[in-house]
Amino acid sequence: MRNTFYLCALLFALSISSFGQKKKKVAATKDAILVFSKTKGYRHASIPKGREALVLMGQQNKFSVDTTEDASVFTLENLKKYKAVVFLSTTGNILDDTQQAAFEQYIRGGGGFVGIHAAADTEYDWPWYNQLVGAYFLSHPKQQNVDVVVHDHTHPSTVMLPDRWKRFDELYSYKKIILGIKVLATLDESTYQGGANGVNHPFIWYREFDGGRSFYTGGGHTDESYVEPLFVQHLLGGIEYAMGRKSAKKPM
């Protein structure tokens, strides 16, 4: 009887210990991002491919990815779950006043923002968003090849890129360009037709703004962008910067 009692006590202790370990494991959560792709203007056909690429990116880099076009998720309580919010080729006025206020609070609390391509074609009547995204869409010519000139390789989004990155995409020109953005790469307008920003034509940039982090890339119009290894790595670097996982290195 005594041996049986000791055996039962040992099994009970082990079960309590095992339960505690399992509970601790379940409590651990991944980093998460929200991908928002609502449109109220032109709708890019590449949005589904972009979503697929971002979900796969999360699986491969240990962060979860929620995708939505439902603006009602823009409450402060919900946004707090995410390290960054990605505007994937959004267009037009996509948030109401209450949702805008919640997003502003999220950024002021240290949240991150990533704008992809038509994120610059969004919320023209919201001055705070102009500051966050860094510039608004002005125009674009036909899709064509271009040389992207990378000026700064110290940022996680450009560290892997060549000095001249040759690629095919839809190439935006911009208006209301914010002076505070830190431009990482420009378009060489001599290598394509239809540019409207001149010698200093920004294409990739970032900034710290209003307590949070913002990153924008002008690429991402085409389906092919989201299986192009360099573009995907570039985009991952921008997302990890916005999440606070990585930062720009200071020049040596």
Side-chain angles (χ1 to χ4, degrees):
M1 289 291 292
R2 183 176 297 178
N3 289 341
T4 302
F5 173 80
Y6 286 136
L7 179 60
C8 289
L10 178 61
L11 291 173
F12 178 76
L14 288 172
S15 68
I16 291 294
S17 175
S18 175
F19 174 77
Q21 291 174 357
K22 288 180 180 178
K23 185 176 181 181
K24 185 176 181 181
K25 184 177 181 181
V26 170
T29 57
K30 287 182 178 181
D31 289 341
I33 66 170
L34 177 66
V35 177
F36 188 51
S37 53
K38 182 177 179 179
T39 56
K40 283 216 170 172
Y42 180 84
R43 184 170 182 83
H44 282 76
S46 62
I47 286 174
K49 293 296 184 183
R51 282 196 299 250
E52 290 174 11
L54 291 168
V55 169
L56 179 61
M57 184 185 295
Q59 292 169 351
Q60 294 175 338
N61 293 277
K62 298 182 180 178
F63 58 86
S64 59
V65 179
D66 290 340
T67 66
T68 188
E69 299 198 353
D70 180 5
S72 70
V73 304
F74 278 74
T75 66
L76 182 58
E77 191 60 33
N78 187 60
L79 293 175
K80 283 180 178 178
K81 299 188 298 187
Y82 302 105
K83 292 292 183 71
V85 176
V86 179
F87 277 31
L88 173 59
S89 284
T90 51
T91 54
N93 294 327
I94 50 177
L95 301 177
D96 65 24
D97 291 348
T98 301
Q99 293 156 358
Q100 288 178 2
F103 193 42
E104 290 180 13
Q105 285 181 277
Y106 165 76
I107 294 295
R108 288 172 184 142
F113 167 79
V114 173
I116 300 174
H117 195 53
D121 189 24
T122 301
E123 295 288 356
Y124 289 95
D125 300 322
W126 185 11
W128 181 90
Y129 181 78
N130 186 194
Q131 293 283 333
L132 179 71
V133 72
Y136 283 135
F137 165 78
L138 172 64
S139 62
H140 68 77
K142 66 179 181 180
Q143 298 171 44
Q144 56 194 294
N145 291 303
V146 68
D147 279 14
V148 180
V149 183
V150 181
H151 303 280
D152 185 343
H153 292 88
T154 65
H155 193 271
S157 68
T158 54
V159 66
M160 76 295 293
L161 299 180
D163 292 343
R164 280 192 169 262
W165 184 20
K166 299 179 183 294
R167 64 187 312 271
F168 178 90
D169 213 325
E170 183 179 76
L171 310 169
Y172 281 3
S173 294
Y174 300 94
K175 64 183 179 181
K176 293 189 177 180
I177 300 169
I178 301 302
L179 292 177
I181 63 173
K182 298 178 180 178
V183 177
L184 297 167
T186 57
L187 297 183
D188 182 348
E189 290 194 0
S190 71
T191 64
Y192 77 104
Q193 296 181 342
N197 286 129
V199 176
N200 297 311
H201 186 146
F203 185 68
I204 303 165
W205 60 78
Y206 75 104
R207 74 179 303 207
E208 293 181 5
F209 170 67
D210 211 10
R213 297 165 304 280
S214 172
F215 169 80
Y216 174 84
T217 180
H221 174 87
T222 64
D223 286 1
E224 291 78 11
S225 294
Y226 298 101
V227 292
E228 180 187 336
L230 267 184
F231 183 78
V232 172
Q233 291 173 44
H234 155 67
L235 193 53
L236 172 62
I239 289 171
E240 291 191 314
Y241 163 77
M243 293 173 70
R245 281 186 166 189
K246 294 183 178 180
S247 59
K249 296 179 180 178
K250 294 181 180 179
M252 298 296 289

